[in-house]
Amino acid sequence: TITSFSVIVASSSGGAGGDSYPIHEIGKLPAGQLASTMVSLMDSRCDEEWRSRHPDEFRALAELLQRSLAPGTPEQQIGSRRQLEARMGHDTYDRLPRITCPTLACAGRYDQIAPTKNLQAISDQIPDAELAVFDGGHRFLQQDQRACEVISRFLT
């Protein structure tokens, strides 16, 4: 028999389970300002004080985000726009109890895009789901080495 597993990472169900940060509201900012804002949203520890103490790390993160937020090809632009539009009305909360396979919901403690409370709501709504919270923000998979270990252990 084939066994299914579900791992939900840095997400939100919408509806009663909470929405992700409304990125579409800041999408019109100039590229540099958007990237700078996204650094803080992705990890609440990256505030002004942190930026002043870690200017090189901040600059590297902002440049990485600025490159990833660049317009790209016309097809990529359409895909990005559609993803933002889909996020605006996203609501799967009432359907989550239909998930019957073992599920692990993973959150970054400092993530302001998909806050921990949203992953808690997801795991509460799915029968027998587990919640794992890691030391990081929206990029916790790169920030907390335990994340990949916990997810791998869950899947095996």
Side-chain angles (χ1 to χ4, degrees):
T1 60
I2 297 175
T3 303
S4 296
F5 295 91
S6 175
V7 177
I8 301 170
V9 176
S11 189
S12 299
S13 66
D19 294 322
S20 294
Y21 186 88
I23 294 173
H24 60 278
E25 292 180 2
I26 62 170
K28 302 254 189 264
L29 293 174
Q33 189 177 356
L34 176 59
S36 174
T37 300
M38 289 296 294
V39 169
S40 295
L41 290 174
M42 291 178 71
D43 193 320
S44 62
R45 298 171 295 180
C46 298
D47 58 12
E48 289 298 325
E49 181 183 331
W50 177 87
R51 291 175 190 195
S52 67
R53 289 192 331 258
H54 303 92
D56 294 337
E57 190 175 348
F58 169 71
R59 190 171 20 273
L61 280 171
E63 288 172 4
L64 176 70
L65 280 169
Q66 191 164 354
R67 282 193 305 273
S68 72
L69 296 169
T73 66
E75 293 82 9
Q76 290 169 326
Q77 291 175 35
I78 290 168
S80 294
R81 189 189 79 243
R82 287 180 177 167
Q83 181 182 12
L84 288 177
E85 289 170 358
R87 291 175 87 245
M88 288 192 285
H90 179 73
D91 183 356
T92 58
Y93 184 76
D94 292 334
R95 296 185 307 220
L96 291 173
R98 295 183 197 166
I99 299 174
T100 58
C101 62
T103 300
L104 177 64
C106 301
R109 185 175 327 283
Y110 305 103
D111 187 351
Q112 296 184 87
I113 296 174
T116 302
K117 66 182 172 78
N118 293 9
L119 276 298
Q120 179 68 60
I122 288 171
S123 67
D124 288 346
Q125 188 74 340
I126 298 171
D128 301 317
E130 298 175 39
L131 174 66
V133 179
F134 298 99
D135 191 31
H138 201 65
R139 298 175 45 248
F140 69 83
L141 288 168
Q142 292 88 23
Q143 295 171 309
D144 186 340
Q145 69 180 25
R146 291 181 320 106
C148 289
E149 295 167 7
V150 169
I151 293 169
S152 293
R153 192 169 39 253
F154 175 78
L155 293 172
T156 56

